[in-house]
Amino acid sequence: IAATLRLIPLPRRSVVLVACDSDSQAAAITAALRRGAASNWRGEGDLDVSAVEFMDGRSLAVVPDEAFARAGVARPAPGAGLLLVQIEITGGQDAALGQMDAVLHACGVHTDPHVARPGDERGAARLFELREAVPASLNTMIAAAKLRVHPDIEKTAGDLIVPFERLEESLALYRETFERCGLEYALWGHVSDGNMHPNVVPRSLEEVHRGQAAILDIARRVVAMGGAPLAEHGVGRSALK
């Protein structure tokens, strides 16, 4: 048996941070970027997107101003979310970024995105650090609540995945369930895969227990959508999972 191997160049990376007004707009942008990437893989077009991350307005609200300042990004308007898009560029960067701009225009984005062009690794790192500030900030809040309110307060979150065509429906499910249960919450995750992390922001032990029940309810309904209640992180050490 013989095999022939071919080396291909490592793609250059551009990272783009996009403000979005709603879950619906975030889903529409992500769907368009997925279609662009699929076309690129067939040899059509220049836009190859390898990942899209979503941070909703509630998750951004827990991030301190200093994190935005370090990223060189203005805090979005209340309720607005952010998409962090990683583009792989094998040809000309102007063609790929031009197609990215066309997607944003078609989806009704009127604010200029923040762009770290190929080679600007420091700029790209600052944008990724802003994304990582979301879970880090919530973890800090939970640690403070453990000390101040009750030692059994803990991270209360889901790791759920749905078929991409059910993404917007799943975001509505997370919001409706938490709001019906009277819980503070934040949503972020790997939106291009339909894999989201709905998090409770607990202020008491009772809210942890209510949040766990809410996540179990969400998980059952996600299964009914054709999704799975556990995705990238598996069961781990979580008794809830």
Side-chain angles (χ1 to χ4, degrees):
I1 298 175
T4 300
L5 304 181
R6 178 169 64 94
L7 296 178
I8 61 174
L10 186 68
R12 294 170 295 152
R13 179 179 72 171
S14 181
V15 179
V16 181
L17 186 71
V18 180
C20 45
D21 297 332
S22 64
D23 291 346
S24 178
Q25 188 180 52
I29 294 168
T30 305
L33 294 174
R34 283 168 52 99
R35 290 193 296 270
S39 294
N40 175 271
W41 301 339
R42 295 193 299 267
E44 306 164 4
D46 298 287
L47 184 59
D48 187 2
V49 174
S50 57
V52 186
E53 298 285 303
F54 178 51
M55 301 155 274
D56 83 334
R58 287 174 171 267
S59 65
L60 295 173
V62 307
V63 176
D65 291 339
E66 294 78 9
F68 285 94
R70 286 193 300 271
V73 174
R75 184 183 289 276
L82 291 173
L83 289 173
L84 187 64
V85 182
Q86 182 167 308
I87 301 172
E88 294 191 349
I89 298 175
T90 54
Q93 64 173 299
D94 290 344
L97 294 176
Q99 288 190 23
M100 177 75 189
D101 183 67
V103 166
L104 299 183
H105 181 75
C107 293
V109 176
H110 303 299
T111 56
D112 291 336
H114 291 264
V115 180
R117 289 179 173 268
D120 183 10
E121 292 303 314
R122 186 172 297 177
R126 285 196 295 265
L127 297 180
F128 281 115
E129 286 167 9
L130 179 60
R131 190 270 184 214
E132 293 305 314
V134 170
S137 298
L138 182 57
N139 290 342
T140 298
M141 292 177 64
I142 293 171
K146 284 175 69 74
L147 290 173
R148 187 179 66 254
V149 181
H150 197 287
D152 291 338
I153 288 177
E154 62 183 10
K155 185 177 178 70
T156 307
D159 172 29
L160 305 127
I161 191 165
V162 297
F164 183 79
E165 60 271 15
R166 307 295 292 270
L167 171 68
E168 192 171 350
E169 182 182 353
S170 73
L171 294 174
L173 166 64
Y174 307 151
R175 294 194 190 281
E176 183 275 327
T177 304
F178 288 142
E179 289 168 11
R180 173 168 43 82
C181 295
L183 295 165
E184 291 292 327
Y185 66 94
L187 305 179
W188 69 83
H190 319 299
V191 70
S192 51
D193 295 331
N195 174 204
M196 295 297 295
H197 303 312
N199 276 247
V200 177
V201 184
R203 296 162 295 188
S204 67
L205 183 60
E206 191 272 337
E207 287 190 351
V208 170
H209 295 155
R210 245 191 301 150
Q212 291 172 340
I215 290 170
L216 286 173
D217 181 39
I218 287 169
R220 296 184 187 101
R221 294 166 73 181
V222 160
V223 170
M225 290 182 186
L230 299 176
E232 62 174 341
H233 297 297
V235 174
R237 293 173 294 176
S238 168
L240 174 64
K241 290 181 179 180

